[in-house]
Amino acid sequence: MQDDGNLIQYPIETFDTGENAYWNTNTYKSGDNVTLNLNDDGQLYLVKTTTNFNIMNLSRSNGTLPTSGKIFYRVTLDADGIFRLYSHTLIAMEPDCRCLPGFLFINQDQKTQGCRREVSIENCGNKQEQFKFTMYLLDNIEWQDNPYSVLTTATKDECKTACMDDCSCEAAMFYDQECRKQKIPLRYGKSGITTAFVKIGEEISLRSFTYEELENATDGFKEVLGRGSFGTVFKGTLSNSQRLIAVKRLERMVDEGEKEFRTEMRAIGRTHHKNLVQLLGYCHEGLNRLLVYEYMSNGSLANFLFKSERCPGWNERVDIALNVARGILYLHEECETQIIQCDINPQNILMDEYRCAKIADFGLAKLLKPDQTRTFTAIRGTRGYVSPEWHKNLPITIKADVYSFGIVLLEIICCRKSLDMELVEDEVILVDWVCHCFDVGELGKLMTDEEVDIRGFQKMVSLALWCIQDEPSLRPSMKKVVLMMEGIIDIPTLPCSATSFLSSI
């Protein structure tokens, strides 16, 4: 601003003379006491301070401003040599909360509570995991620093790879050749000079098939793998990859079949866990409703336990039970929408080629809203595995699945069906027989011929009995079930006899 009232822009390393001027306001006749001002109307003016008179409007806009909200201004001499005024209107002074890719809000209605993983990174080193991981880059953001491991003299790429290859690493902070491996949660993020890498699970989208494609893939729906209450499952092969698939064709009346189709799509379309059967795609064509799953070569747990030439070994049975428990835990606490599976039984648990157990058939599943912990619904499930509250017209919670798991757990550890009419009268109903043996201290009668650690066997029986308590609140959560099975927390002692602690079933 010159003394003559002219605002001039001169390039650097030039003399402040007229021939060198890059731009000017041409107000050199205004005299001294001229200033550049940002007025309340959002315009830049040259103002004669002695008379408070606007000599010139430099903004060249109509001056229209929002009627509400807070406005931030910035004046910049840009790289192209043009002097510009910028404005940003913040309509509501609320934090603009967002989650990273692969994360979801803990509570959609209260976003400031933070975000949680959409996909667990548990067992990320398992080559058979059904989804892949990637590292998401966040530049110039610093977080609370609480590393469990520090690598020195590392490059940015080496830091990224080191976290990717370490299943314990969920995020890594890199600055000045130092890589600091972190665990989730990341808190207190702010602007800084650190580069952050966050490990996320990649989304798997569902493929849409035509009916003709699935008809060809199954050779005209020729080989039946199994039948359920809503449809039949056929074996098939994808022509482009020769990958084996299982195709579930819904066969109930149209309205009920449509409900079943949408329930199953909503329930597992966005779930990703090693102990859930993977949904690959669907067909929604005319009246045809089909679901395409990964093929499970070892059939159902029921066949695996009850129709094999010999019962699987004790350690393998415990692993199977733990896999089932982890799958239910994911449905209850870790996936986007809390799901009550409602039909946990050995027919709906399938075994892959590595004898890894996976939960299948979500047609009866009940999805809970974010603020919902219980629901009233018509009785559903398989006889013998249905919890008592279904029959009492009481609200249903995730504890209904815990009960069903308890029955399945007894079947797994005893390697027999919950109801076997070929046995002697006292042993026909497994729960009654287990309770009797538990109370009189004769658990050995429940064991198979193999050598089994009696203490380990007793612990599993105790856990199963806790799961099938008549009162839902007394049943442990699936989180506690998993922790007890892993030996991280102890299994409580039953407060009285097993028989008196259970209702008649």
Side-chain angles (χ1 to χ4, degrees), residues 14-273:
T14 64
F15 293 105
D16 294 349
T17 57
E19 62 268 22
N20 293 325
Y22 182 78
W23 169 85
N24 73 92
T25 59
N26 199 28
T27 55
Y28 57 89
K29 295 182 180 180
S30 301
D32 58 4
N33 296 320
V34 176
T35 59
L36 178 64
N37 293 266
L38 176 66
N39 282 13
D40 292 339
D41 60 0
Q43 305 294 309
L44 279 173
Y45 293 98
L46 288 179
V47 179
K48 183 76 170 179
T49 55
T50 54
T51 62
N52 201 30
F53 178 73
N54 293 341
I55 299 173
M56 177 181 285
N57 180 355
L58 302 182
S59 303
R60 299 180 182 176
S61 68
N62 59 14
T64 301
L65 291 175
T67 57
S68 63
K70 187 171 182 179
I71 306 172
F72 296 91
Y73 293 98
R74 175 169 61 88
V75 179
T76 305
L77 179 59
D78 290 327
D80 57 7
I82 299 178
F83 188 63
R84 290 186 176 92
L85 170 66
Y86 297 91
S87 67
H88 173 70
T89 303
L90 196 62
I91 300 299
M93 294 297 290
E94 292 291 331
D96 182 18
C97 297
R98 304 176 189 176
C99 294
L100 296 180
F103 287 75
L104 299 167
F105 286 114
I106 295 173
N107 187 333
Q108 186 70 29
D109 297 326
Q110 299 183 32
K111 297 181 178 180
T112 54
Q113 289 185 8
C115 306
R116 59 176 174 81
R117 284 195 180 280
E118 183 175 9
V119 173
S120 171
I121 68 168
E122 182 185 1
N123 298 320
C124 69
N126 188 335
K127 294 182 179 179
Q128 304 305 321
E129 193 65 66
Q130 56 187 290
F131 48 84
K132 297 180 180 179
F133 297 93
T134 188
M135 301 301 294
Y136 185 79
L137 173 65
L138 285 169
D139 262 330
N140 303 320
I141 298 181
E142 293 183 355
W143 307 86
Q144 179 188 34
D145 189 28
N146 186 26
Y148 69 87
S149 177
V150 178
L151 306 178
T152 56
T153 65
T155 65
K156 184 184 289 188
D157 286 341
E158 287 172 341
C159 182
K160 175 181 177 181
T161 302
C163 185
M164 186 69 178
D165 294 342
D166 182 355
C167 285
S168 297
C169 182
E170 298 186 88
M173 309 302 159
F174 177 80
Y175 174 70
D176 195 21
Q177 295 186 311
E178 191 170 81
C179 181
R180 305 172 72 83
K181 295 182 180 181
Q182 312 276 344
K183 289 278 195 180
I184 295 294
L186 299 180
R187 295 182 291 187
Y188 314 125
K190 61 182 179 179
S191 298
I193 56 177
T194 300
T195 296
F197 296 101
V198 181
K199 185 180 292 182
I200 62 174
E202 294 177 333
E203 188 75 25
I204 297 178
S205 58
L206 298 180
R207 175 181 170 184
S208 175
F209 292 89
T210 66
Y211 184 80
E212 183 180 8
E213 283 179 310
L214 297 182
E215 190 175 35
N216 293 334
T218 58
D219 192 18
F221 302 101
K222 183 178 179 180
E223 185 175 349
V224 176
L225 295 176
R227 300 182 188 275
S229 56
F230 284 95
T232 305
V233 181
F234 302 88
K235 184 177 181 180
T237 306
L238 294 179
S239 58
N240 58 342
S241 64
Q242 295 302 303
R243 178 178 184 177
L244 292 175
I245 55 174
V247 179
K248 180 179 181 180
R249 185 173 66 185
L250 305 177
E251 298 167 342
R252 279 286 191 94
M253 52 187 293
V254 175
D255 290 342
E256 196 167 2
E258 183 71 21
K259 182 179 179 181
E260 150 82 356
F261 178 81
R262 294 185 181 278
T263 297
E264 196 138 356
M265 287 284 289
R266 289 176 59 209
I268 61 174
R270 290 177 59 82
T271 57
H272 307 290
H273 193 275

